[in-house]
Amino acid sequence: VARSTNRRGELMSAAVSLVSGGGPGAATIRAIADRVGVTEGAIYRHFRSKEELCWAAFKRIVEHMADEKRELFGERLMSGYV
């Protein structure tokens, strides 16, 4: 399970990197597979579609940003700046 979770993370990171570098059109299933070093079929073992992969990556980014904001505001609250 840990390896599967790690691979999902690698696939999401590759999708984000490709979109960041060249727009949504750059994040093809082939390009994502090449970036991670897997076959296109391997992607579909983790995600039902490119859309599902992209939504999972987007959710991960939003959650990461929310965690950073909680940490920032938590630190400010603790130091009396808010």
Side-chain angles (χ1 to χ4, degrees), residues 2-63:
R3 182 177 174 155
S4 178
T5 301
N6 187 43
R7 179 67 73 201
R8 282 179 62 89
E10 290 176 321
L11 293 167
M12 288 187 283
S13 293
V16 169
S17 176
L18 288 163
V19 169
S20 296
T28 64
I29 291 295
R30 165 75 0 234
I32 294 166
D34 288 346
R35 177 73 56 101
V36 177
V38 299
T39 64
E40 291 178 46
I43 292 174
Y44 292 109
R45 283 192 285 261
H46 298 279
F47 299 96
R48 287 181 289 231
S49 65
K50 178 182 169 183
E51 182 178 353
E52 182 181 307
L53 167 56
C54 290
W55 276 114
F58 176 74
K59 180 180 176 189
R60 184 182 198 196
I61 291 167
V62 170
E63 289 172 349

Side-chain angles (χ1 to χ4, degrees), residues 71-82:
E71 288 177 21
L72 174 66
F73 289 125
E75 290 175 16
R76 286 187 176 170
L77 288 172
M78 297 296 282
S79 61
Y81 289 114
V82 174

